[in-house]
Amino acid sequence: MKIIEGKVIVTCPGRNFVTLKIITDEGVYGIGDATLNGRELSVVSYLEDHVIPCLIGRDPQQIEDIWQYLYRGAYWRRGPVTMSAIAAVDMALWDIKAKLAKMPLYQLLGGRCREGVMVYGHANGTTIDDTLGELDRYMSMGYKAIRLQTGVPGLKSTYGVSGDKMYYEPADGDLPTENVWSTEKYLDSVPKLFERAREKVGFGPHLLHDVHHRLTPIEAARLGKSLEPYRLFWLEDATVADNPESFRLIRQHTTTPLAVGEVFNSIHDCRTLIQEQLIDYIRCTLVHTGGITHLRRIASLADLYQVRTGCHGATDLSPVSMGAALNFDISIPNFGVQEYMRHTKETDEVFPHNYTFKNGYLMPGETPGHGVDIDEKLAAKYPYKRAFLPVNRLEDGSMTNW
Ligand code: GCO
Ligand code: MG
């Protein structure tokens, strides 16, 4: 069996997605997600110019060998562009292998470890009252885990609060939008939100919060400590994780569980955090971390240290990533939770899929492969539209993390 073609499909049904289709001489094909928000065309070029020519003629069943070939063979290691391209190939090859085996992918990965994949949804609003209203709505939809983000009094905008109640889309400008940030204002508002939320709904639902890398280690430590009475499921990206030492400092001060990893792209980014048990959840995503082959290694390492997974699942990861992630999530022992931000109707139509939501759980489907396809004709109706993530400045004008 041989790979005879690799096609990169760029489509924008409301937002940009990059998809790789690998076609074999036996007619079986596989689909992989290659979307890197705000940097989409770099991955397109990497795939078209440097990866696909090397795949033609190879046996698509040799997943590990092809992974090593693309990783070691490039000489230049890691980085989000490279690892997203490798991930797309890897996802497509696992799709092909599961189709050949006539099994849903999770069966090939070892079978189910649980009945369903617990997901968390995003409840947000510009005021605490709005956010609590959204919390109600998510609970009535059956969600068992809900992320809360609220507007910060005195700031025009903040991460995680959208105008649209259904969908959150941060890549909102043809050039990067400029936002303004104040840590002091933010640190006052978050504990109030969680105090009100627990008063309202008790300790039944899991509640989560995303700091989006905006605090220094000591500020994050203070926030974690002040949130302890509200027993969060996790505090996400409390500070930038470039230095694992930052998490040592946060850990010394708080028992609020910590999650990190959505901007990681390699096991080497999280090795120390895991081995020193500085985090509780590793949030790497299939598409930016080299696909199923590499994420399985990360999850296995994490399992040794009682660190659980919580794969990133924002709307900028396509339904292909979601379908593949669900097959992975259901098959590993140390799964924690899966992020689930619903895609728009247009996106769901471009990517027909068989996963389903019920009572706060997502279920991968039972058809062979990872269960997600692309309707190429429909995809062609939505041409690429340049879009950037915002940038962030402090009130005095200096650049900070978005
Ligand atoms: C999350 C993330 C996202 C990112 C987005 C950037 O927790 O889901 O923080 O919302 O901001 O993926 O492209
Ligand atoms: Mg996040």
Side-chain angles (χ1 to χ4, degrees), residues 120 122 147 149 159 209-213 234 236-237 259 261-263 283 312-314 339:
Y120 69 91
H122 288 204
R147 188 183 96 163
Q149 307 289 138
Y159 164 77
H209 182 69
D210 188 353
V211 179
H212 221 253
H213 306 114
W234 79 34
E236 173 177 334
D237 293 339
E262 70 181 39
V263 302
R283 294 194 62 255
H312 183 209
E339 182 179 24

mmCIF file of all heavy atoms in Angstrom, residues 120 122 147 149 159 209-213 234 236-237 259 261-263 283 312-314 339, ligand 2:
data_model
loop_
_atom_site.group_PDB
_atom_site.id
_atom_site.type_symbol
_atom_site.label_atom_id
_atom_site.label_comp_id
_atom_site.label_asym_id
_atom_site.label_seq_id
_atom_site.Cartn_x
_atom_site.Cartn_y
_atom_site.Cartn_z
ATOM 1 N N TYR A 120 -15.892 20.164 29.134
ATOM 2 C CA TYR A 120 -16.305 21.413 29.793
ATOM 3 C C TYR A 120 -16.676 22.450 28.751
ATOM 4 O O TYR A 120 -16.058 22.562 27.697
ATOM 5 C CB TYR A 120 -15.259 21.933 30.781
ATOM 6 C CG TYR A 120 -13.957 22.453 30.221
ATOM 7 C CD1 TYR A 120 -13.804 23.815 29.904
ATOM 8 C CD2 TYR A 120 -12.868 21.616 30.057
ATOM 9 C CE1 TYR A 120 -12.590 24.310 29.434
ATOM 10 C CE2 TYR A 120 -11.658 22.097 29.589
ATOM 11 C CZ TYR A 120 -11.521 23.447 29.268
ATOM 12 O OH TYR A 120 -10.323 23.925 28.800
ATOM 13 N N HIS A 122 -18.047 26.625 27.984
ATOM 14 C CA HIS A 122 -17.616 27.972 28.363
ATOM 15 C C HIS A 122 -18.806 28.855 28.707
ATOM 16 O O HIS A 122 -19.575 29.232 27.813
ATOM 17 C CB HIS A 122 -16.900 28.640 27.201
ATOM 18 C CG HIS A 122 -15.548 28.075 26.919
ATOM 19 N ND1 HIS A 122 -14.573 28.804 26.289
ATOM 20 C CD2 HIS A 122 -14.997 26.868 27.190
ATOM 21 C CE1 HIS A 122 -13.479 28.051 26.174
ATOM 22 N NE2 HIS A 122 -13.723 26.875 26.712
ATOM 23 N N ARG A 147 -16.457 26.220 32.443
ATOM 24 C CA ARG A 147 -15.435 27.245 32.639
ATOM 25 C C ARG A 147 -16.133 28.591 32.772
ATOM 26 O O ARG A 147 -17.019 28.915 31.967
ATOM 27 C CB ARG A 147 -14.506 27.240 31.425
ATOM 28 C CG ARG A 147 -13.300 28.112 31.587
ATOM 29 C CD ARG A 147 -12.465 28.122 30.316
ATOM 30 N NE ARG A 147 -12.793 29.269 29.502
ATOM 31 C CZ ARG A 147 -12.023 29.731 28.508
ATOM 32 N NH1 ARG A 147 -10.908 29.094 28.189
ATOM 33 N NH2 ARG A 147 -12.370 30.779 27.816
ATOM 34 N N GLN A 149 -15.719 32.739 32.830
ATOM 35 C CA GLN A 149 -14.900 33.936 32.570
ATOM 36 C C GLN A 149 -15.853 35.128 32.614
ATOM 37 O O GLN A 149 -16.985 35.029 32.111
ATOM 38 C CB GLN A 149 -14.268 33.887 31.176
ATOM 39 C CG GLN A 149 -13.468 32.645 30.835
ATOM 40 C CD GLN A 149 -12.145 32.484 31.555
ATOM 41 O OE1 GLN A 149 -11.800 31.391 31.982
ATOM 42 N NE2 GLN A 149 -11.403 33.565 31.705
ATOM 43 N N TYR A 159 -9.871 38.498 27.971
ATOM 44 C CA TYR A 159 -9.865 37.187 27.336
ATOM 45 C C TYR A 159 -11.096 36.380 27.783
ATOM 46 O O TYR A 159 -11.475 36.410 28.946
ATOM 47 C CB TYR A 159 -8.589 36.412 27.709
ATOM 48 C CG TYR A 159 -8.774 34.967 27.395
ATOM 49 C CD1 TYR A 159 -8.694 34.527 26.081
ATOM 50 C CD2 TYR A 159 -9.162 34.059 28.374
ATOM 51 C CE1 TYR A 159 -8.970 33.222 25.750
ATOM 52 C CE2 TYR A 159 -9.440 32.750 28.063
ATOM 53 C CZ TYR A 159 -9.345 32.342 26.749
ATOM 54 O OH TYR A 159 -9.646 31.050 26.431
ATOM 55 N N HIS A 209 -11.354 27.899 35.426
ATOM 56 C CA HIS A 209 -11.065 29.278 35.018
ATOM 57 C C HIS A 209 -9.733 29.323 34.266
ATOM 58 O O HIS A 209 -8.799 28.606 34.596
ATOM 59 C CB HIS A 209 -11.006 30.198 36.249
ATOM 60 C CG HIS A 209 -10.763 31.631 35.891
ATOM 61 N ND1 HIS A 209 -11.703 32.418 35.244
ATOM 62 C CD2 HIS A 209 -9.671 32.426 36.067
ATOM 63 C CE1 HIS A 209 -11.202 33.631 35.042
ATOM 64 N NE2 HIS A 209 -9.974 33.660 35.532
ATOM 65 N N ASP A 210 -9.676 30.198 33.247
ATOM 66 C CA ASP A 210 -8.479 30.348 32.405
ATOM 67 C C ASP A 210 -7.871 31.731 32.613
ATOM 68 O O ASP A 210 -8.524 32.749 32.351
ATOM 69 C CB ASP A 210 -8.891 30.163 30.932
ATOM 70 C CG ASP A 210 -7.703 30.096 29.983
ATOM 71 O OD1 ASP A 210 -6.561 30.325 30.418
ATOM 72 O OD2 ASP A 210 -7.942 29.815 28.784
ATOM 73 N N VAL A 211 -6.625 31.771 33.071
ATOM 74 C CA VAL A 211 -5.933 33.059 33.291
ATOM 75 C C VAL A 211 -5.253 33.531 31.996
ATOM 76 O O VAL A 211 -4.914 34.698 31.849
ATOM 77 C CB VAL A 211 -4.896 32.911 34.435
ATOM 78 C CG1 VAL A 211 -4.143 34.209 34.674
ATOM 79 C CG2 VAL A 211 -5.568 32.452 35.723
ATOM 80 N N HIS A 212 -5.069 32.613 31.065
ATOM 81 C CA HIS A 212 -4.485 32.919 29.761
ATOM 82 C C HIS A 212 -3.101 33.566 29.881
ATOM 83 O O HIS A 212 -2.794 34.544 29.187
ATOM 84 C CB HIS A 212 -5.442 33.798 28.937
ATOM 85 C CG HIS A 212 -5.512 33.407 27.492
ATOM 86 N ND1 HIS A 212 -4.937 34.148 26.507
ATOM 87 C CD2 HIS A 212 -6.071 32.342 26.871
ATOM 88 C CE1 HIS A 212 -5.160 33.562 25.334
ATOM 89 N NE2 HIS A 212 -5.834 32.459 25.532
ATOM 90 N N HIS A 213 -2.287 33.019 30.770
ATOM 91 C CA HIS A 213 -0.873 33.407 30.903
ATOM 92 C C HIS A 213 -0.658 34.854 31.331
ATOM 93 O O HIS A 213 0.374 35.440 31.019
ATOM 94 C CB HIS A 213 -0.129 33.223 29.565
ATOM 95 C CG HIS A 213 -0.236 31.877 28.949
ATOM 96 N ND1 HIS A 213 -0.882 31.641 27.762
ATOM 97 C CD2 HIS A 213 0.220 30.675 29.345
ATOM 98 C CE1 HIS A 213 -0.805 30.362 27.447
ATOM 99 N NE2 HIS A 213 -0.156 29.748 28.395
ATOM 100 N N TRP A 234 -9.865 23.286 37.958
ATOM 101 C CA TRP A 234 -8.499 23.728 37.657
ATOM 102 C C TRP A 234 -8.436 25.219 37.421
ATOM 103 O O TRP A 234 -9.433 25.863 37.095
ATOM 104 C CB TRP A 234 -7.889 22.961 36.503
ATOM 105 C CG TRP A 234 -8.263 23.339 35.080
ATOM 106 C CD1 TRP A 234 -8.558 24.571 34.570
ATOM 107 C CD2 TRP A 234 -8.321 22.437 33.965
ATOM 108 N NE1 TRP A 234 -8.781 24.488 33.225
ATOM 109 C CE2 TRP A 234 -8.650 23.191 32.829
ATOM 110 C CE3 TRP A 234 -8.093 21.062 33.826
ATOM 111 C CZ2 TRP A 234 -8.799 22.623 31.557
ATOM 112 C CZ3 TRP A 234 -8.239 20.505 32.562
ATOM 113 C CH2 TRP A 234 -8.587 21.278 31.453
ATOM 114 N N GLU A 236 -6.270 27.511 34.897
ATOM 115 C CA GLU A 236 -5.526 27.219 33.655
ATOM 116 C C GLU A 236 -4.539 28.327 33.313
ATOM 117 O O GLU A 236 -4.856 29.515 33.456
ATOM 118 C CB GLU A 236 -6.574 27.072 32.542
ATOM 119 C CG GLU A 236 -6.012 26.927 31.151
ATOM 120 C CD GLU A 236 -7.135 26.725 30.140
ATOM 121 O OE1 GLU A 236 -8.223 26.220 30.515
ATOM 122 O OE2 GLU A 236 -6.942 27.102 28.978
ATOM 123 N N ASP A 237 -3.379 27.934 32.821
ATOM 124 C CA ASP A 237 -2.364 28.867 32.342
ATOM 125 C C ASP A 237 -2.207 30.072 33.272
ATOM 126 O O ASP A 237 -2.284 31.237 32.849
ATOM 127 C CB ASP A 237 -2.700 29.329 30.910
ATOM 128 C CG ASP A 237 -2.579 28.186 29.909
ATOM 129 O OD1 ASP A 237 -1.885 27.204 30.214
ATOM 130 O OD2 ASP A 237 -3.188 28.276 28.828
ATOM 131 N N ALA A 259 -3.534 23.661 35.594
ATOM 132 C CA ALA A 259 -3.550 23.062 34.253
ATOM 133 C C ALA A 259 -2.736 23.945 33.332
ATOM 134 O O ALA A 259 -2.765 25.171 33.442
ATOM 135 C CB ALA A 259 -4.980 22.962 33.734
ATOM 136 N N GLY A 261 -0.601 23.954 29.117
ATOM 137 C CA GLY A 261 -0.112 23.172 27.969
ATOM 138 C C GLY A 261 -0.655 23.516 26.595
ATOM 139 O O GLY A 261 -0.190 22.950 25.614
ATOM 140 N N GLU A 262 -1.621 24.450 26.478
ATOM 141 C CA GLU A 262 -2.218 24.643 25.154
ATOM 142 C C GLU A 262 -1.246 25.248 24.141
ATOM 143 O O GLU A 262 -1.487 25.135 22.949
ATOM 144 C CB GLU A 262 -3.517 25.457 25.235
ATOM 145 C CG GLU A 262 -3.328 26.907 25.591
ATOM 146 C CD GLU A 262 -4.642 27.669 25.671
ATOM 147 O OE1 GLU A 262 -5.624 27.119 26.170
ATOM 148 O OE2 GLU A 262 -4.665 28.826 25.222
ATOM 149 N N VAL A 263 -0.180 25.905 24.599
ATOM 150 C CA VAL A 263 0.788 26.411 23.610
ATOM 151 C C VAL A 263 2.030 25.521 23.506
ATOM 152 O O VAL A 263 2.972 25.842 22.791
ATOM 153 C CB VAL A 263 1.212 27.886 23.869
ATOM 154 C CG1 VAL A 263 0.006 28.810 23.872
ATOM 155 C CG2 VAL A 263 2.003 28.044 25.148
ATOM 156 N N ARG A 283 -2.557 19.985 29.202
ATOM 157 C CA ARG A 283 -3.600 20.395 28.249
ATOM 158 C C ARG A 283 -3.119 20.445 26.798
ATOM 159 O O ARG A 283 -3.687 21.172 25.984
ATOM 160 C CB ARG A 283 -4.148 21.777 28.645
ATOM 161 C CG ARG A 283 -4.886 21.783 29.948
ATOM 162 C CD ARG A 283 -5.678 23.064 30.102
ATOM 163 N NE ARG A 283 -6.680 23.214 29.084
ATOM 164 C CZ ARG A 283 -6.608 24.047 28.047
ATOM 165 N NH1 ARG A 283 -5.563 24.822 27.852
ATOM 166 N NH2 ARG A 283 -7.598 24.115 27.184
ATOM 167 N N HIS A 312 -6.835 20.689 25.043
ATOM 168 C CA HIS A 312 -7.310 21.941 24.477
ATOM 169 C C HIS A 312 -8.334 21.610 23.383
ATOM 170 O O HIS A 312 -8.109 20.704 22.578
ATOM 171 C CB HIS A 312 -6.077 22.634 23.887
ATOM 172 C CG HIS A 312 -6.286 23.978 23.311
ATOM 173 N ND1 HIS A 312 -5.505 24.445 22.290
ATOM 174 C CD2 HIS A 312 -7.147 24.962 23.589
ATOM 175 C CE1 HIS A 312 -5.865 25.677 21.971
ATOM 176 N NE2 HIS A 312 -6.865 26.009 22.752
ATOM 177 N N GLY A 313 -9.441 22.338 23.340
ATOM 178 C CA GLY A 313 -10.471 22.047 22.340
ATOM 179 C C GLY A 313 -11.214 23.304 21.934
ATOM 180 O O GLY A 313 -12.437 23.305 21.815
ATOM 181 N N ALA A 314 -10.456 24.397 21.732
ATOM 182 C CA ALA A 314 -11.077 25.667 21.334
ATOM 183 C C ALA A 314 -11.637 25.549 19.919
ATOM 184 O O ALA A 314 -11.328 24.597 19.194
ATOM 185 C CB ALA A 314 -10.033 26.778 21.409
ATOM 186 N N GLU A 339 -11.866 19.913 26.682
ATOM 187 C CA GLU A 339 -12.527 21.196 26.388
ATOM 188 C C GLU A 339 -13.416 21.028 25.158
ATOM 189 O O GLU A 339 -13.042 20.366 24.186
ATOM 190 C CB GLU A 339 -11.469 22.271 26.108
ATOM 191 C CG GLU A 339 -12.066 23.644 25.831
ATOM 192 C CD GLU A 339 -11.005 24.709 25.583
ATOM 193 O OE1 GLU A 339 -9.883 24.360 25.178
ATOM 194 O OE2 GLU A 339 -11.308 25.901 25.789
HETATM 195 MG MG MG B 2 -6.787 28.426 27.538
#
